[in-house]
Amino acid sequence: MSADGDLLGEPSGGKKRCSVVLAEDDILLREGLASLLERARFEIAGQAGNAAQLLEIVRDQRPDLALVDIRMPPTYSTEGLDAAHRIREEFPEVGIAVLSAHVEVEHAMKLLESGERTGYLLKSRVTDVEGFVETLELIVKGGSVVDPALVQELVATRRKHDPLAELSAREREVLALMAEGRSNAGIARRLWVTEGTVEKHVRSILAKLPLPSTDDDHRRVLAVIAYLDSR
């Protein structure tokens, strides 16, 4: 914070402070966040203990930012996140920062894919107040922020569902050439190996991929389709 003005809010020229609505059912945490943000020169436009209150305040106040917990009353499932989606649909200019104790990959990605001015932060990983405030500032200015833990979980989830994850590098090469329509003999010539070696690789590929083994399905073709779908 400089002598000429505040981090986000009201410099000596009288610039409007950034307004934020807090949605958190834990009143002690909510009040603590309000106090922290006020010291950082945010304007607290309202506080909500549930999703319905959050939507009501946002519609009335049109804040610059909504800081939202995912799990809120009455079921403590995804009420906060559902409200965040509504806010994004109705007021795309409002920044949304999800502050959660949980990594919700599927729901979080839907929100993050909805556009700019979006962030997903884990409560347990917010250890630097100044950095936290700067992150909120970035979201208000149009940026998107994703907690590294969510990124790691997303990568792990994609790997878990990658049908080619079990294949070796050589098997992937063989499958790629299969996708080009090459025969075992053609693959052997391309890779400078024997046709018997290619046949072993193909058998291994078909065994590792989750393919049906019925008479109605050509497993080599299905393997190629799995390869194309994973790209």
Side-chain angles (χ1 to χ4, degrees):
M1 191 180 300
S2 69
D4 294 328
D6 302 304
L7 180 62
L8 263 185
E10 199 167 3
S12 56
K15 182 180 178 181
K16 178 182 178 294
R17 291 193 296 171
C18 175
S19 60
V20 58
V21 171
L22 302 177
E24 167 63 60
D25 63 284
D26 185 328
I27 188 170
L28 293 179
L29 177 56
R30 190 172 72 236
E31 289 291 344
L33 284 169
S35 177
L36 182 155
L37 293 178
E38 284 178 332
R39 290 198 303 272
R41 305 303 295 166
F42 282 82
E43 176 184 346
I44 306 302
Q47 298 185 35
N50 57 56
Q53 290 177 352
L54 166 63
L55 290 171
E56 182 179 349
I57 296 172
V58 170
R59 287 165 180 159
D60 182 57
Q61 298 294 325
R62 306 290 181 89
D64 299 304
L65 176 70
L67 185 57
V68 184
D69 186 17
I70 286 182
R71 301 186 180 185
M72 302 183 72
T75 67
Y76 294 93
S77 55
T78 59
E79 284 88 350
L81 201 53
D82 294 339
H85 283 292
R86 290 285 298 276
I87 294 170
R88 178 45 42 88
E89 291 173 0
E90 296 183 26
F91 309 104
E93 73 281 3
V94 174
I96 298 173
V98 172
L99 186 60
S100 176
H102 310 277
V103 176
E104 304 274 1
V105 174
E106 181 179 354
H107 295 98
M109 292 312 301
K110 287 181 180 178
L111 178 63
L112 293 168
E113 289 170 357
S114 67
E116 57 186 16
R117 297 186 181 85
T118 309
Y120 187 103
L121 309 172
L122 290 178
K123 293 177 180 178
S124 61
R125 293 170 61 88
V126 178
T127 58
D128 179 2
V129 171
E130 183 178 351
F132 175 63
V133 170
E134 289 176 351
T135 295
L136 299 184
E137 178 185 17
L138 177 61
I139 294 170
V140 170
K141 290 180 177 178
S144 294
V145 180
V146 183
D147 191 287
L150 178 64
V151 176
Q152 293 172 5
E153 187 70 20
L154 177 63
V155 171
T157 299
R158 287 182 173 175
R159 285 177 178 169
K160 187 188 307 180
H161 294 93
D162 180 6
L164 310 185
E166 299 299 318
L167 301 186
S168 68
R170 176 61 90 179
E171 288 166 350
R172 285 174 179 261
E173 284 186 279
V174 171
L175 184 54
L177 292 171
M178 288 167 57
E180 293 178 6
R182 297 178 186 271
S183 65
N184 286 358
I187 295 172
R189 287 192 293 271
R190 180 67 177 272
L191 297 180
W192 295 88
V193 297
T194 66
E195 190 171 345
T197 297
V198 174
E199 290 174 357
K200 290 180 181 179
H201 285 313
V202 171
R203 285 197 298 271
S204 178
I205 291 168
L206 299 181
K208 289 179 179 180
L209 293 180
L211 305 174
S213 57
T214 66
D215 294 336
D216 295 330
D217 299 295
H218 195 305
R219 301 183 76 236
R220 186 179 178 112
V221 173
L222 292 177
V224 168
I225 292 174
Y227 168 78
L228 296 175
D229 285 344
S230 70
R231 300 182 66 185

